[in-house]
């Protein structure tokens, strides 16, 4: 089974530096390195003996104290093995679960989880293309009204807006 996963990130430099003990100047390099290195360590991907290949899209810039990065991967795993790892019916449409699970794990990585990171993921399924955005509030559902302001990632072809004060 193959899925393509594209992600756009918006992370505060001070938030990532403060939560992870980095100097502010190191944040862009450390953040992109951490996410790209961590994808192959995602438990379900490892258990399914799957792999994430560079998808050919890597962009990184810092604007107004926020890291904006775009990363993409070509994800591969054996369909039956993925179904067994996730406890799903192997006859069902699994590509949606595969791509979404990996995206959800990325935004929940330990060094990202407590930051103000927001990530939009785009992946194709048998039912069309999905765009899904995760924010701090999604990672901390018990604290819905708390947390940092949300700064959504700028996704090409989509309007960019800040969703709360």
């Amino acid at each position: 089974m193959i899925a393509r996963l594209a992600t756009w990130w918006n992370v505060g430099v001070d938030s990532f530096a403060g939560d992870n003990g980095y100097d502010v100047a190191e944040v862009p390099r450390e953040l992109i390195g951490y996410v790209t290195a961590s994808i192959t360590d995602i438990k379900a991907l490892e258990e399914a003996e799957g792999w994430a290949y560079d998808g050919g899209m890597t962009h990184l810039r810092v604007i107004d104290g926020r890291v904006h990065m775009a990363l993409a991967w070509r994800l591969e795993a054996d369909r039956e093995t993925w179904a067994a790892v996730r406890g799903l019916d192997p006859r069902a449409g699994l590509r949606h679960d595969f791509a979404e699970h990996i995206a959800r794990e990325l935004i929940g990585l330990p060094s990202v989880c407590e930051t103000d990171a927001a990530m939009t993921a785009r992946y194709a399924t048998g039912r069309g293309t999905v765009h899904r955005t995760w924010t701090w509030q999604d990672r901390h559902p018990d604290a819905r009204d708390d947390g940092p302001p949300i700064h959504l990632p700028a996704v090409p072809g989509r309007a960019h807006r800040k969703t709360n004060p």
Side-chain angles (χ1 to χ4, degrees):
M1 170 174 56
I2 296 171
R4 298 198 186 283
L5 173 64
T7 61
W8 291 268
W9 299 72
N10 187 329
V11 184
V13 171
D14 291 332
S15 177
F16 190 79
D19 285 347
N20 296 292
Y22 292 114
D23 182 74
V24 170
E26 298 172 321
V27 167
R29 178 178 45 83
E30 293 295 333
L31 178 60
I32 199 167
Y34 174 68
V35 173
T36 56
S38 296
I39 193 167
T40 56
D41 294 333
I42 292 173
K43 184 179 179 185
L45 191 60
E46 276 186 305
E47 289 176 356
E49 298 179 5
W51 197 253
Y53 299 94
D54 180 3
M57 179 183 77
T58 304
H59 301 285
L60 177 68
R61 61 187 177 159
V62 178
I63 301 172
D64 297 329
R66 302 199 61 82
V67 176
H68 299 268
M69 64 182 188
L71 301 167
W73 293 275
R74 180 176 181 260
L75 307 171
E76 286 186 17
D78 178 75
R79 179 181 191 74
E80 287 76 24
T81 307
W82 180 260
V85 166
R86 297 279 293 141
L88 302 170
D89 181 350
R91 296 168 295 173
L94 298 175
R95 214 169 349 140
H96 179 94
D97 178 76
F98 183 40
E100 185 165 297
H101 182 80
I102 301 301
R104 193 173 45 251
E105 290 291 317
L106 285 173
I107 195 64
L109 288 169
S111 290
V112 173
C113 191
E114 294 301 322
T115 70
D116 66 355
M119 180 193 76
T120 296
R122 181 183 69 205
Y123 45 94
T125 69
R127 297 175 295 269
T129 302
V130 174
H131 284 85
R132 171 94 194 264
T133 299
W134 286 272
T135 66
W136 188 90
Q137 285 79 359
D138 295 312
R139 295 186 305 275
H140 303 278
D142 294 336
R144 269 279 170 218
D145 298 324
D146 294 332
I150 298 171
H151 298 273
L152 294 177
V155 177
R158 298 185 66 149
H160 174 69
R161 68 193 192 305
K162 186 175 169 181
T163 58
N164 72 359

